[in-house]
Amino acid sequence: MTDKLIIFDTTLRDGEQSPGASMTKDEKIRIAKALEKLGVDVIEAGFPVASQGDFEAVQAVANTIKESTVCGLARALDKDIDRAAEALKGANSSRIHTFIATSAIHMEHKLRMSPQQVVEQAVKAVKRARQYTDNVEFSAEDAGRSDIDFLCRIIEAAIDAGANTINIPDTVGYTLPNHFGQLIYKLRERIPNSDKAIFSVHCHNDLGLAVANSLSAVMNGARQVECTINGLGERAGNAALEEIVMGVGTRKDAFDCETDLNTTEILNCSRLVSNITGFPVQPNKAIVGANAFAHESGIHQDGVLKHRETYEIMRAEDVGWGANKMVLGKHSGRNAFRTHLEGLGIELNSEEELNRAFRRFKDLADKKHEIYDEDLQALVTDTLATESEQIKLVALKVCSEIGEKPHAHITLNVKGVEKTVASEGSGPVDATFKAIETLVKSDCNLLLYSVNNITDGSDAQGDVSVRLDQNGYVVNGQGADTDIVIASAKAYLNALNKLLTPALRKHPQTAAI
């Protein structure tokens, strides 16, 4: 018999803390449904007290998801715990995840509390959370830099108070695999009531060791790993779910536990998260990168052809590669289109949304001979993003020729009024962005401009990501089209529309207690 390793996905909470990665309620629901289809055990949907938008998103996910446990984050404060409980009321299975910092540097400089006060606050928080649910997780923030004697003390008290999951976060990505594994082992050995709780880990990737630290912890008795799709997260990110799951599944000789995820949905989740957040997946990214199962070397190719396992330690099909081609074409009907979307886990909220997406599908089918599942993900994201935009692209004409300065002529619908302007630039994209700014006057800085092809071929859609900063508020924008300049305009406008309706959020790691 092997133990079950619980997969706790925090893409919707910690992943969203990546600069510009904020998601709308509908986007969170789309990702949550994909995570449920993947078979994730716990979905941390957000930080309900942070904003009304975050509260509503957690509430919507809780009311939608049926198979996975839905979790809300709360500081060790009554108001946070009460707000999380309210957001989670509609969940089939809920969890409140409360935390307080335990390292000396955090207690002294951030919390300005004594160790005894921190213990008392933690116990109080766990007991309050237990009034709402019997599934309570306690996290010792910055545990990787905390004194082990104090950790033993506060964890024992938290378990006595009713916490049945104890999370040991490497909040700043400071620890090393052997040290972190030993920390988990020692805590489980030294804490008298450790057998009454599942030990969990949450590792950040500042030194590139998040997955290694997590797996070391699993080898030393941790039975929950907190992770994100594509390793998304603040700073250098979190432990990547796909690497944790396939690491444990591939090296059964090294692990005495297993997950029960449907791993064939990993690639679909990866693409969806990348598409919604605008964070592209690097080609050489393990498991989900475009080159993850590609073999360039002749020696490697020869070996794989003779016997796959000479150079492949897992099957590409097991994580979702190899079945991405769409069987629909420009003659396909709405019902076939809807059915295929449902097969991808995409459920639109109304007939009007379906009609808009279907019209875009028909337009794309006229431009592109072969349409792939990735195209559909981008198409739906683009359709939903433009539904409530205050600034919409009406027309765009650009001219770029050798020896002449590129210029763009653009028409926008700004809050119901059409406006037209022309502008020059160093290239067609630059000219387009300057034309948009002439009309909108957002006074924002362009931090990032990135273009990636969604599928192979010269007729592929370009997926453009932009990152804008307006007085310290950072947003990402995305746009997809077979025309790169049009995709760029869509991405820029998508970001501007987010700036017009900002969902300001508190940062749970830095918010003052």
Side-chain angles (χ1 to χ4, degrees), residues 3-40:
D3 292 339
K4 175 180 170 62
L5 178 63
I6 297 168
I7 298 299
F8 177 114
D9 183 275
T10 184
T11 302
L12 300 181
R13 198 278 299 172
D14 205 338
E16 193 190 25
Q17 290 172 203
S18 301
S22 291
M23 307 167 203
T24 66
K25 178 177 70 175
D26 289 340
E27 288 170 342
K28 281 197 170 189
I29 291 174
R30 282 183 67 196
I31 292 174
K33 286 180 177 179
L35 294 172
E36 183 179 39
K37 191 174 182 182
L38 175 62
V40 163

Side-chain angles (χ1 to χ4, degrees), residues 295-306 311:
H295 300 277
E296 181 71 20
S297 163
I299 296 173
H300 287 211
Q301 291 173 347
D302 179 63
V304 169
L305 288 172
K306 289 176 179 175
Y311 286 101

Side-chain angles (χ1 to χ4, degrees), residues 97-324:
H97 178 191
T98 187
F99 73 95
I100 194 167
T102 55
S103 65
I105 190 171
H106 275 244
M107 288 190 289
E108 178 182 353
H109 296 288
K110 186 183 78 169
L111 301 183
R112 296 180 180 177
M113 296 169 68
S114 70
Q116 179 60 30
Q117 288 175 315
V118 170
V119 173
E120 291 171 358
Q121 191 79 9
V123 168
K124 180 183 175 185
V126 171
K127 287 182 176 179
R128 191 172 188 90
R130 279 301 297 252
Q131 294 176 9
Y132 296 108
T133 176
D134 60 2
N135 191 340
V136 175
E137 176 172 341
F138 171 73
S139 282
E141 185 189 2
D142 203 23
R145 294 189 298 174
S146 297
D147 176 74
I148 191 169
D149 292 333
F150 182 64
L151 278 179
C152 289
R153 176 184 167 194
I154 195 169
I155 290 170
E156 181 180 1
I159 295 173
D160 279 343
N164 35 36
T165 299
I166 296 297
N167 185 45
I168 309 299
D170 183 18
T171 305
V172 293
Y174 178 75
T175 62
L176 300 176
N178 59 330
H179 297 151
F180 195 61
Q182 279 300 301
L183 174 62
I184 302 301
Y185 179 84
K186 289 175 182 177
L187 290 174
R188 294 179 64 243
E189 284 290 304
R190 289 180 53 178
I191 298 171
N193 55 1
S194 64
D195 61 321
K196 296 180 181 178
I198 292 171
F199 275 70
S200 169
V201 290
H202 178 119
C203 297
H204 279 265
N205 206 39
D206 298 71
L207 294 175
L209 296 171
V211 170
N213 283 333
S214 299
L215 293 178
S216 176
V218 173
M219 288 179 172
N220 284 277
R223 286 299 176 264
Q224 176 178 284
V225 175
E226 305 192 2
C227 43
T228 61
I229 299 293
N230 299 335
L232 190 69
E234 58 182 335
R235 303 189 314 278
N238 291 268
L241 178 148
E242 59 276 8
E243 296 176 25
I244 297 293
V245 171
M246 295 312 294
V248 171
T250 301
R251 291 302 308 272
K252 295 181 187 296
D253 59 314
F255 295 94
D256 56 354
C257 59
E258 60 186 8
T259 72
D260 52 11
L261 269 65
N262 177 11
T263 60
T264 59
E265 291 296 323
I266 284 176
L267 187 62
N268 182 51
C269 284
S270 170
R271 287 171 171 164
L272 177 62
V273 170
S274 176
N275 186 255
I276 285 177
T277 61
F279 281 67
V281 176
Q282 67 197 59
N284 62 329
K285 168 74 172 66
I287 316 297
V288 293
N291 294 344
F293 294 91
H295 300 277
E296 181 71 20
S297 163
I299 296 173
H300 287 211
Q301 291 173 347
D302 179 63
V304 169
L305 288 172
K306 289 176 179 175
H307 188 69
R308 181 187 60 82
E309 293 182 357
T310 53
Y311 286 101
E312 286 190 359
I313 59 173
M314 62 193 120
R315 298 193 323 147
E317 298 86 346
D318 290 343
V319 296
W321 288 100
N324 66 332

